[in-house]
Amino acid sequence: QAGEPIPFDTVTSARDGIAEVFYTISTALNGEADPVYTLLHLRVAGHLRPDHSDALLLTADVLEELGQHELAAETYGTFPPEDPSFVTAEIGRAGALRSQGKSDSAIEALQTLSRSHGDLLGVQFALADLLRAEERFDEAEVAYSAAIDLSVAAKAENWVLYFYRGICHEQSKDWAPAEADFRKALELNATQPQV
């Protein structure tokens, strides 16, 4: 708008360009070929450009697919807090920790994230889901309530928040709030068979 050139910062060198080629190939291979081939290309991209956030996230995802949960957690853990992908990486790290059987560490990671980024619906939702999966229903209900409070409006896609919070109430034998949440879920998505 000021008539000045905008700096081109996606690829600043030949090395960055080659890293981008390997990353692009890995995205084309992902889901179409053996995950090891995808991982091979991702590792080259990550070696050439260690700060390539998208390549790191996909690397961790492929490692999870290959059952390498510890390596996935380590990869997710490389994101510094100031990185725009930090929240996504921390949620992924919590999932990888849980897959290793380290549920307490996973919950602790998401609780820490909820203290620093508690204003994000996805963070509260991830924490609530993990707590529910670990049958810590009272704590999960609090996190689902926080997620519901953060949702801009009661939209059709938010039926799941009410449904899962209703399950938490039901498991805690709080029948009236459970019914209210199930009815709200039906109101938002009347054809949802789970509800």
Side-chain angles (χ1 to χ4, degrees):
Q1 194 171 22
E4 298 172 5
I6 296 172
F8 187 73
D9 59 1
T10 302
V11 177
T12 59
S13 67
R15 186 181 182 101
D16 288 355
I18 295 170
E20 200 63 33
V21 168
F22 275 94
Y23 170 69
T24 301
I25 292 170
S26 72
T27 60
L29 290 172
N30 191 32
E32 300 296 326
D34 189 304
V36 172
Y37 294 118
T38 305
L39 183 61
L40 176 68
H41 287 82
L42 286 166
R43 288 298 200 192
V44 173
H47 173 75
L48 292 170
R49 189 171 171 198
D51 65 338
H52 196 304
S53 296
D54 292 334
L56 286 170
L57 287 173
L58 187 54
T59 297
D61 188 50
V62 171
L63 287 167
E64 283 264 57
E65 183 181 348
L66 290 168
Q68 298 293 323
H69 307 297
E70 188 173 341
L71 288 173
E74 286 175 16
T75 303
Y76 283 127
T78 62
F79 286 81
E82 63 274 6
D83 191 295
S85 298
F86 175 73
V87 171
T88 302
E90 279 298 283
I91 291 171
R93 187 171 74 87
L97 288 168
R98 183 164 191 263
S99 295
Q100 293 177 65
K102 299 178 179 178
S103 295
D104 288 341
S105 296
I107 290 169
E108 184 180 329
L110 288 179
Q111 287 173 332
T112 300
L113 190 63
S114 74
R115 286 190 288 276
S116 62
H117 295 80
D119 58 335
L120 299 176
L121 187 146
V123 171
Q124 296 296 344
F125 194 9
L127 175 59
D129 275 353
L130 182 54
L131 290 167
R132 180 178 52 84
E134 291 298 311
E135 298 184 0
R136 292 167 63 167
F137 298 111
D138 291 341
E139 294 170 82
E141 182 271 322
V142 172
Y144 281 123
S145 293
I148 288 167
D149 290 344
L150 288 169
S151 58
V152 177
K155 298 179 184 172
E157 63 265 21
N158 291 337
W159 71 269
V160 72
L161 296 171
Y162 292 94
F163 178 67
Y164 286 145
R165 187 174 71 173
I167 288 173
C168 293
H169 285 304
E170 181 267 331
Q171 289 293 314
S172 300
K173 311 272 190 263
D174 294 334
W175 309 117
E179 181 181 355
D181 278 343
F182 291 142
R183 290 189 182 279
K184 182 66 176 181
L186 273 177
E187 177 188 319
L188 294 174
N189 191 345
T191 61
Q192 177 47 243
Q194 283 183 282
V195 182

